[in-house]
mmCIF file of all heavy atoms in Angstrom:
data_model
loop_
_atom_site.group_PDB
_atom_site.id
_atom_site.type_symbol
_atom_site.label_atom_id
_atom_site.label_comp_id
_atom_site.label_asym_id
_atom_site.label_seq_id
_atom_site.Cartn_x
_atom_site.Cartn_y
_atom_site.Cartn_z
ATOM 1 N N LEU A 637 137.173 124.521 57.190
ATOM 2 C CA LEU A 637 136.293 125.683 57.147
ATOM 3 C C LEU A 637 135.821 125.870 55.727
ATOM 4 O O LEU A 637 136.523 126.035 54.780
ATOM 5 C CB LEU A 637 137.067 127.014 57.550
ATOM 6 C CG LEU A 637 136.367 128.273 57.474
ATOM 7 C CD1 LEU A 637 135.124 128.292 58.346
ATOM 8 C CD2 LEU A 637 137.286 129.446 57.779
ATOM 9 N N ASP A 638 134.464 125.890 55.600
ATOM 10 C CA ASP A 638 133.823 126.120 54.306
ATOM 11 C C ASP A 638 132.743 127.138 54.434
ATOM 12 O O ASP A 638 131.755 126.948 55.071
ATOM 13 C CB ASP A 638 133.217 124.787 53.767
ATOM 14 C CG ASP A 638 132.726 124.885 52.313
ATOM 15 O OD1 ASP A 638 132.679 126.017 51.830
ATOM 16 O OD2 ASP A 638 132.416 123.829 51.737
ATOM 17 N N ILE A 639 133.005 128.349 53.917
ATOM 18 C CA ILE A 639 132.004 129.450 53.916
ATOM 19 C C ILE A 639 131.798 129.894 52.494
ATOM 20 O O ILE A 639 131.367 131.057 52.248
ATOM 21 C CB ILE A 639 132.498 130.644 54.804
ATOM 22 C CG1 ILE A 639 133.891 131.091 54.414
ATOM 23 C CG2 ILE A 639 132.431 130.274 56.252
ATOM 24 C CD1 ILE A 639 134.395 132.310 55.235
ATOM 25 N N SER A 640 131.966 128.993 51.573
ATOM 26 C CA SER A 640 131.791 129.263 50.136
ATOM 27 C C SER A 640 130.308 129.418 49.784
ATOM 28 O O SER A 640 129.402 129.064 50.537
ATOM 29 C CB SER A 640 132.404 128.139 49.340
ATOM 30 O OG SER A 640 131.714 126.943 49.516
ATOM 31 N N GLY A 641 130.058 130.037 48.591
ATOM 32 C CA GLY A 641 128.729 130.148 48.077
ATOM 33 C C GLY A 641 127.785 131.033 48.944
ATOM 34 O O GLY A 641 126.620 130.691 49.162
ATOM 35 N N ASN A 642 128.322 132.162 49.396
ATOM 36 C CA ASN A 642 127.499 133.109 50.140
ATOM 37 C C ASN A 642 127.612 134.479 49.516
ATOM 38 O O ASN A 642 127.978 134.603 48.345
ATOM 39 C CB ASN A 642 127.944 133.173 51.614
ATOM 40 C CG ASN A 642 127.373 131.959 52.422
ATOM 41 O OD1 ASN A 642 126.182 131.917 52.713
ATOM 42 N ND2 ASN A 642 128.229 131.071 52.797
ATOM 43 N N ARG A 643 127.355 135.548 50.270
ATOM 44 C CA ARG A 643 127.470 136.946 49.746
ATOM 45 C C ARG A 643 128.463 137.730 50.620
ATOM 46 O O ARG A 643 128.272 138.907 50.825
ATOM 47 C CB ARG A 643 126.082 137.580 49.732
ATOM 48 C CG ARG A 643 125.064 136.860 48.866
ATOM 49 C CD ARG A 643 123.646 137.407 49.023
ATOM 50 N NE ARG A 643 122.710 136.688 48.237
ATOM 51 C CZ ARG A 643 121.391 136.917 48.297
ATOM 52 N NH1 ARG A 643 120.909 137.804 49.097
ATOM 53 N NH2 ARG A 643 120.549 136.190 47.529
ATOM 54 N N LEU A 644 129.483 137.029 51.114
ATOM 55 C CA LEU A 644 130.426 137.634 52.012
ATOM 56 C C LEU A 644 131.286 138.681 51.246
ATOM 57 O O LEU A 644 131.679 138.402 50.073
ATOM 58 C CB LEU A 644 131.304 136.607 52.636
ATOM 59 C CG LEU A 644 130.525 135.579 53.551
ATOM 60 C CD1 LEU A 644 131.493 134.472 53.992
ATOM 61 C CD2 LEU A 644 129.943 136.284 54.763
ATOM 62 N N SER A 645 131.554 139.823 51.850
ATOM 63 C CA SER A 645 132.347 140.872 51.151
ATOM 64 C C SER A 645 133.505 141.291 52.101
ATOM 65 O O SER A 645 133.694 140.755 53.128
ATOM 66 C CB SER A 645 131.407 142.049 50.826
ATOM 67 O OG SER A 645 130.796 142.523 52.007
ATOM 68 N N GLY A 646 134.211 142.295 51.643
ATOM 69 C CA GLY A 646 135.306 142.811 52.417
ATOM 70 C C GLY A 646 136.629 142.044 52.134
ATOM 71 O O GLY A 646 136.705 141.245 51.156
ATOM 72 N N LEU A 647 137.578 142.203 52.972
ATOM 73 C CA LEU A 647 138.908 141.628 52.819
ATOM 74 C C LEU A 647 138.949 140.236 53.398
ATOM 75 O O LEU A 647 138.168 139.869 54.321
ATOM 76 C CB LEU A 647 139.952 142.515 53.463
ATOM 77 C CG LEU A 647 140.020 143.928 53.053
ATOM 78 C CD1 LEU A 647 141.093 144.686 53.873
ATOM 79 C CD2 LEU A 647 140.314 144.064 51.538
ATOM 80 N N VAL A 648 139.882 139.433 52.926
ATOM 81 C CA VAL A 648 140.275 138.142 53.598
ATOM 82 C C VAL A 648 141.101 138.568 54.801
ATOM 83 O O VAL A 648 142.204 139.126 54.624
ATOM 84 C CB VAL A 648 141.022 137.250 52.621
ATOM 85 C CG1 VAL A 648 141.423 135.945 53.384
ATOM 86 C CG2 VAL A 648 140.246 136.967 51.397
ATOM 87 N N PRO A 649 140.654 138.359 56.009
ATOM 88 C CA PRO A 649 141.317 138.874 57.162
ATOM 89 C C PRO A 649 142.704 138.239 57.450
ATOM 90 O O PRO A 649 142.845 136.999 57.310
ATOM 91 C CB PRO A 649 140.341 138.619 58.346
ATOM 92 C CG PRO A 649 139.527 137.455 57.869
ATOM 93 C CD PRO A 649 139.418 137.615 56.374
ATOM 94 N N GLU A 650 143.660 139.028 57.851
ATOM 95 C CA GLU A 650 144.976 138.530 58.261
ATOM 96 C C GLU A 650 144.851 137.499 59.387
ATOM 97 O O GLU A 650 145.575 136.518 59.492
ATOM 98 C CB GLU A 650 145.859 139.668 58.743
ATOM 99 C CG GLU A 650 146.418 140.570 57.666
ATOM 100 C CD GLU A 650 147.706 140.080 57.183
ATOM 101 O OE1 GLU A 650 148.270 139.110 57.716
ATOM 102 O OE2 GLU A 650 148.197 140.686 56.215
ATOM 103 N N GLU A 651 143.802 137.721 60.235
ATOM 104 C CA GLU A 651 143.613 136.872 61.424
ATOM 105 C C GLU A 651 143.336 135.416 61.041
ATOM 106 O O GLU A 651 143.510 134.496 61.841
ATOM 107 C CB GLU A 651 142.422 137.401 62.229
ATOM 108 C CG GLU A 651 142.721 138.684 62.981
ATOM 109 C CD GLU A 651 142.598 139.959 62.119
ATOM 110 O OE1 GLU A 651 142.249 139.815 60.900
ATOM 111 O OE2 GLU A 651 142.797 141.067 62.654
ATOM 112 N N LEU A 652 142.922 135.139 59.808
ATOM 113 C CA LEU A 652 142.703 133.790 59.342
ATOM 114 C C LEU A 652 143.977 132.984 59.418
ATOM 115 O O LEU A 652 143.948 131.745 59.612
ATOM 116 C CB LEU A 652 142.143 133.825 57.929
ATOM 117 C CG LEU A 652 141.482 132.533 57.337
ATOM 118 C CD1 LEU A 652 140.319 132.101 58.263
ATOM 119 C CD2 LEU A 652 140.999 132.798 55.938
ATOM 120 N N GLY A 653 145.095 133.653 59.368
ATOM 121 C CA GLY A 653 146.399 132.977 59.392
ATOM 122 C C GLY A 653 146.705 132.406 60.769
ATOM 123 O O GLY A 653 147.631 131.596 60.890
ATOM 124 N N ALA A 654 145.873 132.686 61.779
ATOM 125 C CA ALA A 654 146.089 132.138 63.096
ATOM 126 C C ALA A 654 145.451 130.743 63.288
ATOM 127 O O ALA A 654 145.757 130.021 64.209
ATOM 128 C CB ALA A 654 145.478 133.056 64.190
ATOM 129 N N CYS A 655 144.627 130.334 62.301
ATOM 130 C CA CYS A 655 143.991 129.015 62.281
ATOM 131 C C CYS A 655 144.994 128.020 61.679
ATOM 132 O O CYS A 655 144.757 127.455 60.584
ATOM 133 C CB CYS A 655 142.686 129.109 61.535
ATOM 134 S SG CYS A 655 141.456 130.223 62.140
ATOM 135 N N THR A 656 146.042 127.748 62.389
ATOM 136 C CA THR A 656 147.173 127.016 61.772
ATOM 137 C C THR A 656 146.944 125.561 61.616
ATOM 138 O O THR A 656 147.760 124.843 61.001
ATOM 139 C CB THR A 656 148.493 127.224 62.625
ATOM 140 O OG1 THR A 656 148.139 126.860 64.010
ATOM 141 C CG2 THR A 656 148.883 128.701 62.622
ATOM 142 N N LYS A 657 145.835 125.015 62.129
ATOM 143 C CA LYS A 657 145.509 123.604 61.968
ATOM 144 C C LYS A 657 144.615 123.294 60.767
ATOM 145 O O LYS A 657 144.288 122.163 60.525
ATOM 146 C CB LYS A 657 144.873 123.037 63.283
ATOM 147 C CG LYS A 657 145.839 123.028 64.426
ATOM 148 C CD LYS A 657 145.194 122.359 65.669
ATOM 149 C CE LYS A 657 146.165 122.399 66.853
ATOM 150 N NZ LYS A 657 145.518 121.812 68.070
ATOM 151 N N LEU A 658 144.234 124.367 60.039
ATOM 152 C CA LEU A 658 143.380 124.175 58.876
ATOM 153 C C LEU A 658 144.003 123.260 57.865
ATOM 154 O O LEU A 658 145.150 123.409 57.459
ATOM 155 C CB LEU A 658 143.082 125.531 58.217
ATOM 156 C CG LEU A 658 141.930 126.358 58.784
ATOM 157 C CD1 LEU A 658 141.840 127.709 58.104
ATOM 158 C CD2 LEU A 658 140.598 125.661 58.672
ATOM 159 N N GLN A 659 143.205 122.252 57.432
ATOM 160 C CA GLN A 659 143.591 121.331 56.328
ATOM 161 C C GLN A 659 142.891 121.693 55.063
ATOM 162 O O GLN A 659 143.359 121.346 53.980
ATOM 163 C CB GLN A 659 143.332 119.906 56.771
ATOM 164 C CG GLN A 659 144.055 119.459 58.013
ATOM 165 C CD GLN A 659 143.571 118.068 58.464
ATOM 166 O OE1 GLN A 659 143.524 117.158 57.608
ATOM 167 N NE2 GLN A 659 143.262 117.894 59.734
#
Side-chain angles (χ1 to χ4, degrees):
L637 176 61
D638 189 349
I639 51 177
S640 63
N642 281 289
R643 300 173 182 174
L644 298 171
S645 57
L647 305 177
V648 179
E650 285 272 353
E651 289 81 0
L652 197 56
C655 301
T656 54
K657 293 183 180 179
L658 275 175
Q659 300 173 47

